[in-house]
Amino acid sequence: MSGPNTDYDPVEVTPLKADQVEEMREAALAAVAAAADLDALKQVRLDHAGDRSPLALANREIGALPPQARKEAGQRVGQARGAINQAIAAREAVLEAEHEERMLVEETVDVSLPTTRRRRGGRHPLTLQSDLIADLFVAMGYEVAEGPVVEAEWLNFDALNLGPDHPARTLQDTFWAEPPEHHIVLRTQTSPVQARTMLTRKPPIYVVCPGRVFRTDEYDATHSPMFHQVEGLVVDEGITMAHLKGTLDHFASQLFGDGITTRFRPSFFPFTEPSAEVDVRCFVCRGTGMDEEGAQSCRTCRGEGWIEWGGCGVVNPRVLIACGVDPDVYSGFAFGMGIDRSFMFRHDLEDLRPLFEGDVRFSSAFGTEI
Amino acid sequence: MKAPLSWILDYVDVPEGTTTEALTDRLTLTGLKLEAIESPGRDITGPLVVGRVVTMEPEPQKNGKTINWCTVDVGDANGTGEPQGIVCGAHNFKPGDLVVTVLPGGVLPGGFEIGARKTYGHLSAGMICSARELGLGEDHDGIIVLPDDAGEPGQDARPLLGLDEETIEFEINPDRAYALSLRGIAREVLVSVEGASNFRDPALRDTPPANDQGHPVVVEDPEGCPVFVARRVSGFDPDAPTPDLIVRRITAAGMRPISLAVDVTNYVMLETGRPIHGYDADKLRGAIVVRRAREGERLITLDGTNRALDPADLVVTDDSGIIGLGGVMGGETTEISESTTSILVEAAHWDAVSMFRTGRRHKITSEAGKRNERGVDATICEAAADRVVELLVEHGGGHAEPGVTVVGTPPAMPTIRMAYDLPERVAGLPIDSSTVVDHLQAIGCRVDADADGVDVTPPPWRPDLIAAQDLTEEVIRLVGYDLVPSVLPTPPSGRGLTRSQQLRRRIGRTLAGEGWVEVVNFPFVGTADLDALGLAADDPRRDLLGLSNPLNHEAGFMTTTLLPGVLRTAGKNVGHGNTDLAIFETGTVTVPRHAGPAAILPVDRRPTDEEFEALDAALPAQPLHLALVAAGDAVAGGWWGEARPVTWADAVEAVRSVAAALGLEVTASSAELAPWHPGRCAELSVDGEVIGHAGEMHPTVCQAFGLPKRTVAAEVDLDLLMARSVHLRKAPSFSSYPVAKEDVALVVDASVPAADVEAALREGAGELLESIRLFDVYTGDQVGKGKKSLAYALRFRAPDRTLKEGEAAAARDAAVALAAERTGAVQRT
Ligand SMILES: [Zn+2]
């Protein structure tokens, strides 16, 4: 700001007249209101509030006024400039909000576009079924025992009361490793794991043994040379068939649904005596044998109301002796069922081959839990 | 075992109104499981009646055949009472014969509808039936001619033919050999079915006493053959037909009718459970001697097979040599033929184990062998032989010779001690002592009871009952398995999954979470598979454990690597159009240890620890492996941009992910190993131990497995990896002072591994280095041929202070200097 202009002729200073200032203010406010967007407002700011705007130029003249007039003119100009700046700020807020809103609208995308760039993985349903079963028993306090699939003949047969001349040996068509005189087999059941468990742990024993087993069955819709079994073994004081029944009823209801129980039928397994076949009440028709319409026979149980599930029994004392457990102190029960078979009727699969064909569409369908 | 219901009911009565379903439901619950109920007449509907042939006029035809134009009296069955005109092509009958006639409106098996139709110039209204047309057998030599007294014209023919008969098929457990007979099944009905009564034992009969006029028999091995009974029928008519009832019953039981003599022995075997052998008595030479075979002896058995005998085989001989494989199969030389008029009936008891071994050795399975090897009632040889003689005489017109040979006595049954409370302690269900005694007596045991328990002598048809637990099962099954209560035991607190079990689940979830799909393959492999992998002749993976009896000789070994399985599965997927794929498998492989045999240990005691360890040491090693294969695109193309194909790095990264899940870091270095691309194979190690390999597959291998070029794969030993897994990871601490960033670009020879450069930079940068990341690799004109530029972003930070000006730069210079010294790196400016 320059110093006082002593040569100033007050008569000549028209821009500081009240009506002139009012005019400039009106013009500025009108321009602000008319600014349609932020660019226009920027120009308005330059034109009406900038250094070269009429009011800024008028302001420079204040110093030329006589001291008595300066105050009045200063006030008048200052108020006008304040009002204009306020109006610009208000207008700017409105225009900015409008701009933002418009930008958000312009940035709209099609959220229905596909988003999957990577394949989904999945665990094999038999692994999942096996884990699920293990979890059910672990929840009851059992542990999961395991053993080799290429197994000693003695552990797969003899220790389980299946001597070399036992007719039941021929029922389990066995793969023999070369040379046969080495007495090594592909285990035909997971029972050798039970023998191993008794040989390496002291009772009380509560274990389940899921795993792969092998039989020389030609591969077709219902047979496979390799399949999966889960067996359970309990050895403790005072164990009875009632405990076996209770355990399998609980297992059945956990795997197939509330209220699904089991039925025992006398059977024969060298490992157990007494032995039973265990049937599970059909969880589809709930034992009625009828389909949903009540017309035809249930597909899952073929109208029988029961599904053959596995074998079980009270551990034969001969087995306890061969495995170093005193049958006068301890008794036990054992059971075994097919994991593949359980999976097949639980998930309505009629032909087992997709389990072993490895088509990714099959496993992917089950994801990571079942 | 198939048993016609009417045959069962010959020996036991069931309450009026007992349905077949009720009967079989009950038997199923006590141990004879129903397999199926068959009824041969099920597929025949409409009028099937007895007819009497009134007239029969042969009419030769132009085609050379002669047909018979017959009128058949069918009573009122046709509604008119007039004889029915029927054209018949068969000739084995004459006017006056009783025949089986199906009238118009009837339907025969196969949905064959009968109507009146014009044929050979006549209106033939119905059909005279053969056995085959009724589904009663394959015999189609002619029509069925009924015995003259079979019935009256117009009467329903079904009952006469057994077409209304129900045959029950039972699944017989190996311990219930007695139920391989009608005698045994009827006895089961008696003990299991409420209200069943009046058991009539078909093996209980008065038999003539032994005398010395019979065929001479010497048993040199009484352990192998404790009882040998021989009877003779002479003057037998070899043309005598087998009575319909016997034909129907043995057919229903699943056996083929052959001739009266053979059919009768089978009939009595089914009836009593005792296998019988018949010899043509005129072909026998001198005394019969039972002994073990001698080295080098041979026999041509009934099936025409010339067999080399084993010294353990029991044989029947006469002066001519060996005439039979005792209890298993007879010989050709003494076989009953179409001209046999004299029959020697043998009913002998054989040692079950010997039968089992001989049957298995010679691969003979027969109805007789099945019974002999599971155990037969040793006390009924005389009764069974007598029954055969009776039937042969009755239907074959011969006479029984007075000679009765009986050699040996049935072995005694054991006496088993059982405490009264054993069944209830086993069942967990109250069973009082009188129930125990009653049920044991019901199944035929002799029971001597005292204050604490019972001394039980099982009946001779129950050789399976050898110990108290066997008796327990009998008691509990008759009390009813359905009465056993459902009680949960209370296990001690468990320890949950083992560490290894948890880690395996973690590995599976990690891979599935990253897009890999698990598959399960058979562990069988053939040498051709290993050839396809391109394994060298001395590759240790070629040392395979063979199988003696593989299903498929192309895959006759247990695999040492999971790669053939996953590659084959990947190839199949590609073939099915699943071209963008990533699969994995975990499973054990079999690595031979070439150790000695696994011993067959005793079973009357626990093996010693040394014996048990030796057993394990004899088995092959079976480490758990992981294999994975990926092909096609790793990231699909789309509106977001281009697809990214799978590369060798995806296979390495998958293994790194698995390792990271176990808290481990994997180092990759280049290696050459089949089946990988020689320039794109990473040897993967953790802390200096090699755990596996990953990379791009050799193009030849891709081709061999039907996979696209650039397919990638990895295989690692999870046991090695899991053994190193970090169990308790320490919580990290990190600095909150500002970071200083420095980037460097280094030019090295193309052959220098990036990992080496990074290692040098890390070491040279010292403690202030927080992280290092390779963010660019450049090859091209700007660095010159045979060179590459590696650009690293380095981050420096001190744990306790802000770095001073120049400190980071000094550390960077030190890093570059060490990299230059170690790898010849030159900083790019
Ligand atoms: Zn159902």
Side-chain angles (χ1 to χ4, degrees):
Chain A
M1 185 76 44
S2 55
N5 185 349
T6 48
D7 302 329
Y8 192 73
D9 174 4
V11 181
E12 298 296 317
V13 186
T14 50
L16 289 171
K17 287 192 176 145
D19 56 343
Q20 290 279 6
V21 169
E22 186 56 25
E23 208 171 286
M24 285 186 271
R25 172 178 140 129
E26 290 297 326
L29 292 179
V32 168
D37 56 31
L38 289 166
D39 285 343
L41 187 65
K42 198 174 167 190
Q43 193 56 51
V44 170
R45 190 196 300 269
L46 280 176
D47 293 348
H48 297 279
D51 288 350
R52 308 204 53 82
S53 65
L55 276 169
L57 294 175
N59 199 46
R60 287 190 197 165
E61 305 303 330
I62 289 175
L65 290 179
Q68 65 274 29
R70 272 185 209 161
K71 189 179 173 195
E72 195 193 336
Q75 256 172 8
R76 199 182 299 134
V77 172
Q79 275 169 3
R81 295 181 80 186
I84 291 163
N85 280 333
Q86 221 168 14
I88 288 172
R91 184 66 187 152
E92 189 173 46
V94 168
L95 288 175
E96 250 167 22
E98 274 176 20
H99 173 74
E100 194 143 300
E101 205 167 305
R102 203 164 49 246
M103 284 304 291
L104 290 178
V105 169
E106 280 170 11
E107 284 172 8
T108 298
V109 296
D110 177 2
V111 296
S112 74
L113 286 172
T115 57
T116 309
R117 305 173 191 209
R118 302 196 52 152
R119 302 161 302 257
R120 303 226 189 289
R123 292 165 77 216
H124 195 274
L126 290 178
T127 313
L128 297 174
Q129 179 88 64
S130 179
D131 286 357
L132 174 65
I133 291 170
D135 288 345
L136 299 180
F137 280 94
V138 167
M140 287 192 254
Y142 286 57
E143 293 179 10
V144 179
E146 295 168 296
V149 297
V150 182
E151 184 57 286
E153 177 186 357
W154 187 81
L155 281 161
N156 192 69
F157 289 123
D158 303 64
L160 304 170
N161 194 31
L162 265 152
D165 296 316
H166 203 295
R169 266 208 193 188
T170 52
L171 298 180
Q172 297 185 0
D173 298 318
T174 310
F175 283 110
W176 293 87
E178 286 281 11
E181 58 272 21
H182 275 197
H183 304 296
I184 292 173
V185 300
L186 304 193
R187 67 180 181 195
T188 57
Q189 47 194 353
T190 44
S191 316
V193 183
Q194 303 191 27
R196 287 175 172 276
T197 304
M198 286 188 275
L199 285 164
T200 50
R201 296 188 189 196
K202 295 261 172 285
I205 291 170
Y206 288 78
V207 292
V208 281
C209 328
R212 293 178 183 181
V213 300
F214 297 84
R215 308 258 173 105
T216 55
D217 287 328
E218 289 290 345
Y219 186 49
D220 63 25
T222 53
H223 297 86
S224 169
M226 178 179 91
F227 56 101
H228 298 73
Q229 264 192 347
V230 60
E231 294 193 14
L233 171 72
V234 166
V235 179
D236 203 346
E237 290 180 43
I239 289 297
T240 69
M241 264 180 106
H243 292 132
L244 171 60
K245 181 81 165 69
T247 303
L248 292 178
D249 280 344
H250 182 70
F251 181 19
S253 69
Q254 293 288 296
L255 197 60
F256 299 113
D258 277 349
I260 298 301
T261 54
T262 62
R263 170 179 86 168
F264 285 3
R265 285 182 287 108
S267 188
F268 172 76
F269 307 107
F271 187 80
T272 52
E273 188 79 41
S275 300
E277 294 282 347
V278 48
D279 298 338
V280 63
R281 192 174 282 285
C282 177
F283 59 95
V284 175
C285 65
R286 302 196 78 82
T288 63
M290 303 290 186
D291 71 358
E292 274 169 34
E293 285 81 42
Q296 285 172 331
S297 78
C298 169
R299 220 162 56 92
T300 306
C301 63
R302 298 183 206 291
E304 289 188 28
W306 295 94
I307 303 165
E308 285 187 37
W309 195 22
C312 65
V314 173
V315 180
N316 195 316
R318 292 158 176 270
V319 175
L320 295 179
I321 290 167
C323 295
V325 175
D326 183 352
D328 292 332
V329 179
Y330 296 103
S331 56
F333 68 69
F335 59 84
M337 37 283 291
I339 293 177
D340 316 38
R341 214 182 116 64
S342 298
F343 174 85
M344 285 172 74
F345 58 75
R346 192 169 180 259
H347 295 270
D348 198 17
L349 177 68
E350 292 214 346
D351 183 332
L352 65 74
R353 284 172 289 196
L355 292 169
F356 303 110
E357 297 290 304
D359 192 302
V360 291
R361 292 168 294 181
F362 187 76
S363 284
S364 310
F366 296 93
T368 55
E369 294 290 338
I370 52 172
Chain B
M1 172 77 191
K2 291 180 174 182
L5 181 61
S6 69
W7 201 357
I8 299 173
L9 297 179
D10 274 359
Y11 310 121
V12 66
D13 297 337
V14 293
E16 197 81 27
T18 305
T19 62
T20 311
E21 284 69 29
L23 189 78
T24 53
D25 279 356
R26 186 62 202 153
L27 289 170
T28 294
L29 284 179
T30 54
L32 295 191
K33 184 177 187 267
L34 172 68
E35 278 288 291
I37 299 176
E38 287 175 11
S39 172
R42 201 172 33 205
D43 298 334
I44 300 174
T45 57
L48 183 75
V49 299
V50 175
R52 189 178 295 281
V53 181
V54 182
T55 62
M56 173 179 177
E57 284 162 28
E59 295 181 354
Q61 302 295 315
K62 286 191 204 108
N63 61 9
K65 268 167 76 174
T66 300
I67 59 108
N68 290 301
W69 169 236
C70 307
T71 55
V72 182
D73 175 9
V74 294
D76 289 329
N78 55 3
T80 65
E82 293 297 313
Q84 193 85 355
I86 300 174
V87 169
C88 181
H91 302 278
N92 65 324
F93 63 104
K94 57 188 188 305
D97 279 352
L98 277 190
V99 294
V100 178
T101 313
V102 57
L103 299 176
V107 180
L108 296 185
F112 183 31
E113 288 176 32
I114 305 300
R117 62 191 181 106
K118 285 212 69 133
T119 179
Y120 297 109
H122 297 283
L123 181 70
S124 181
M127 192 170 96
I128 303 173
C129 301
S130 71
R132 187 162 75 151
E133 284 152 353
L134 296 175
L136 287 174
E138 288 305 299
D139 182 6
H140 55 282
D141 290 348
I143 53 126
I144 297 170
V145 178
L146 296 168
D148 213 38
D149 56 355
E152 293 300 317
Q155 183 187 334
D156 188 358
R158 288 179 178 80
L160 305 177
L161 297 168
L163 286 172
D164 57 345
E165 175 76 282
E166 283 181 312
T167 295
I168 306 170
E169 183 176 2
F170 295 104
E171 183 188 310
I172 307 293
N173 289 319
D175 59 336
R176 300 200 181 278
Y178 67 93
L180 292 172
S181 68
L182 273 299
R183 180 192 190 217
I185 291 170
R187 194 189 301 277
E188 275 301 300
V189 171
L190 178 74
V191 299
S192 344
V193 176
E194 183 85 37
S197 62
N198 196 18
F199 176 64
R200 301 170 289 276
D201 186 348
L204 189 66
R205 53 190 292 130
D206 289 328
T207 53
N211 55 47
D212 53 12
Q213 298 146 52
H215 193 96
V217 173
V218 177
V219 175
E220 289 182 357
D221 189 331
E223 246 173 59
C225 178
V227 183
F228 195 108
V229 172
R231 296 282 300 275
R232 181 170 169 152
V233 173
S234 302
F236 177 78
D237 172 9
D239 295 327
T242 306
D244 282 349
L245 180 75
I246 292 180
V247 168
R248 281 209 309 273
R249 284 182 166 177
I250 64 174
T251 305
M255 302 188 77
R256 206 161 52 87
I258 293 165
S259 66
L260 176 62
V262 175
D263 296 346
V264 160
T265 58
N266 284 334
Y267 185 77
V268 173
M269 175 179 73
L270 292 167
E271 187 176 64
T272 64
R274 161 58 63 199
I276 311 279
H277 186 67
Y279 300 89
D280 185 332
D282 293 330
K283 295 181 191 160
L284 288 172
R285 298 286 170 265
I288 282 179
V289 176
V290 178
R291 58 167 172 83
R292 301 278 170 178
R294 292 175 193 131
E295 201 71 59
E297 287 185 320
R298 302 188 75 88
L299 169 68
I300 299 174
T301 43
L302 283 179
D303 57 0
T305 308
N306 188 336
R307 298 175 189 276
L309 302 178
D310 186 276
D313 291 333
L314 282 161
V315 292
V316 181
T317 67
D318 69 1
D319 293 351
S320 71
I322 296 175
I323 57 171
L325 205 44
V328 177
M329 194 177 269
E332 231 176 28
T333 57
T334 55
E335 185 179 1
I336 291 174
S337 71
E338 289 159 7
S339 58
T340 300
T341 58
S342 217
I343 297 169
L344 188 83
V345 177
E346 168 210 294
H349 187 68
W350 305 93
D351 172 54
V353 169
S354 188
M355 293 298 102
F356 176 70
R357 289 182 183 167
T358 295
R360 200 170 48 167
R361 193 154 40 228
H362 296 287
K363 298 189 170 63
I364 299 174
T365 50
S366 65
E367 291 290 327
K370 189 162 88 184
R371 288 167 177 79
N372 280 329
E373 71 187 30
R374 294 182 189 200
V376 185
D377 185 342
T379 65
I380 60 167
C381 294
E382 287 169 78
D386 193 56
R387 175 74 168 137
V388 172
V389 169
E390 177 188 57
L391 291 172
L392 289 177
V393 169
E394 185 182 340
H395 303 292
H399 61 273
E401 297 286 349
V404 177
T405 306
V406 179
V407 176
T409 49
M413 297 304 287
T415 298
I416 307 163
R417 177 73 190 173
M418 183 174 80
Y420 283 127
D421 67 349
L422 184 66
E424 81 175 15
R425 275 192 284 127
V426 169
L429 166 74
I431 301 172
D432 61 34
S433 53
S434 67
T435 306
V436 171
V437 172
D438 286 351
H439 286 319
L440 290 174
Q441 284 174 337
I443 59 163
C445 293
R446 202 181 72 224
V447 181
D448 294 321
D450 57 38
D452 310 322
V454 283
D455 287 313
V456 180
T457 310
W461 59 87
R462 292 300 303 268
D464 59 301
L465 302 179
I466 45 179
Q469 58 265 30
D470 305 321
L471 302 177
T472 302
E473 178 177 85
E474 291 301 301
V475 172
I476 299 173
R477 79 176 175 99
L478 292 177
V479 167
Y481 275 17
D482 50 336
L483 296 186
V484 172
S486 188
V487 180
L488 270 176
T490 46
S493 311
R495 292 167 296 184
L497 296 178
T498 63
R499 172 100 180 124
S500 150
Q501 287 158 359
Q502 290 173 2
L503 293 181
R504 275 176 276 156
R505 288 190 181 191
R506 200 187 285 176
I507 289 165
R509 287 203 191 108
T510 299
L511 287 167
E514 300 198 353
W516 299 82
V517 177
E518 187 179 15
V519 297
V520 171
N521 292 305
F522 298 152
F524 308 126
V525 75
T527 47
D529 295 312
L530 302 185
D531 295 343
L533 288 185
L535 301 196
D538 60 350
D539 191 297
R541 288 169 290 178
R542 283 192 182 271
D543 183 13
L544 299 164
L545 179 76
L547 294 173
S548 301
N549 54 338
L551 284 182
N552 170 1
H553 285 275
E554 255 89 85
F557 301 89
M558 296 300 286
T559 193
T560 47
T561 159
L562 299 180
L563 287 171
V566 283
L567 289 170
R568 218 180 297 119
T569 299
K572 267 194 286 181
N573 270 291
V574 168
H576 292 167
N578 308 326
T579 45
D580 299 326
L581 98 152
I583 58 172
F584 75 99
E585 180 182 13
T586 59
T588 54
V589 298
T590 304
V591 182
R593 274 201 280 242
H594 304 287
I600 299 297
L601 300 171
V603 293
D604 54 356
R605 60 162 176 86
R606 184 193 188 279
T608 64
D609 290 345
E610 292 71 34
E611 284 171 331
F612 185 51
E613 277 162 28
L615 217 50
D616 263 339
L619 298 178
Q622 296 168 64
L624 184 71
H625 276 206
L626 160 71
L628 46 87
V629 175
D633 289 341
V635 177
W639 56 267
W640 52 74
E642 295 269 298
R644 179 178 77 68
V646 156
T647 72
W648 63 271
D650 293 299
V652 175
E653 178 57 15
V655 177
R656 286 207 158 104
S657 291
V658 165
L662 307 185
L664 300 173
E665 212 169 305
V666 165
T667 309
S669 55
S670 73
E672 274 188 46
L673 184 72
W676 285 276
H677 183 308
R680 296 183 173 188
C681 172
E683 179 183 87
L684 305 173
S685 26
V686 173
D687 294 339
E689 181 180 37
V690 176
I691 53 113
H693 293 82
E696 186 178 308
M697 303 302 295
H698 195 290
T700 319
V701 176
C702 294
Q703 195 180 14
F705 286 92
L707 288 163
K709 279 201 180 77
R710 312 252 177 257
T711 294
V712 303
E715 181 167 30
V716 297
D717 184 327
L718 289 181
D719 282 344
L720 295 179
L721 204 57
M722 291 193 298
R724 293 182 170 274
S725 76
V726 180
H727 186 23
L728 291 173
R729 292 189 225 185
K730 271 181 81 169
S733 65
F734 31 71
S735 168
S736 48
Y737 290 91
V739 66
K741 298 177 186 174
E742 296 283 343
D743 287 354
V744 300
L746 299 174
V747 176
V748 291
D749 277 350
S751 63
V752 173
D756 293 358
V757 178
E758 182 180 318
L761 287 172
R762 263 182 200 285
E763 194 183 327
E767 285 183 349
L768 294 177
L769 183 72
E770 179 179 81
S771 69
I772 180 167
R773 191 172 73 84
L774 176 67
F775 67 88
D776 193 27
V777 179
Y778 172 79
T779 52
D781 294 344
Q782 294 181 36
V783 292
K785 216 172 149 63
K787 300 275 185 188
K788 65 185 171 190
S789 163
L790 304 170
Y792 291 91
L794 284 66
R795 290 162 64 94
F796 295 94
R797 196 168 353 214
D800 51 352
R801 63 192 166 85
T802 302
L803 292 180
K804 288 196 280 289
E805 182 91 31
E807 242 184 314
R812 176 204 64 202
D813 293 344
V816 169
L818 193 63
E821 182 190 325
R822 294 256 177 91
T823 66
V826 176
Q827 188 162 11
R828 204 172 151 206
T829 46

Short mmCIF file of all heavy atoms in Angstrom, two decimals, chain A residues 282 285 298 301, ligand 1:
data_model
loop_
_atom_site.label_atom_id
_atom_site.label_comp_id
_atom_site.label_asym_id
_atom_site.label_seq_id
_atom_site.Cartn_x
_atom_site.Cartn_y
_atom_site.Cartn_z
N CYS A 282 -32.31 -95.95 7.69
CA CYS A 282 -32.19 -95.10 6.50
C CYS A 282 -32.55 -93.66 6.87
O CYS A 282 -33.64 -93.40 7.38
CB CYS A 282 -33.09 -95.62 5.39
SG CYS A 282 -33.04 -94.57 3.93
N CYS A 285 -35.55 -92.08 4.23
CA CYS A 285 -36.96 -92.38 4.49
C CYS A 285 -37.21 -92.55 5.99
O CYS A 285 -38.33 -92.82 6.41
CB CYS A 285 -37.38 -93.64 3.74
SG CYS A 285 -36.52 -95.12 4.33
N CYS A 298 -37.95 -96.59 -1.25
CA CYS A 298 -36.87 -95.63 -1.08
C CYS A 298 -35.63 -96.10 -1.84
O CYS A 298 -35.22 -97.24 -1.74
CB CYS A 298 -36.56 -95.48 0.41
SG CYS A 298 -35.06 -94.58 0.76
N CYS A 301 -32.26 -97.01 0.55
CA CYS A 301 -32.20 -98.28 1.29
C CYS A 301 -32.88 -99.40 0.51
O CYS A 301 -33.06 -100.49 1.03
CB CYS A 301 -32.84 -98.13 2.66
SG CYS A 301 -34.59 -97.73 2.59
ZN ZN C 1 -34.79 -95.45 2.85
#
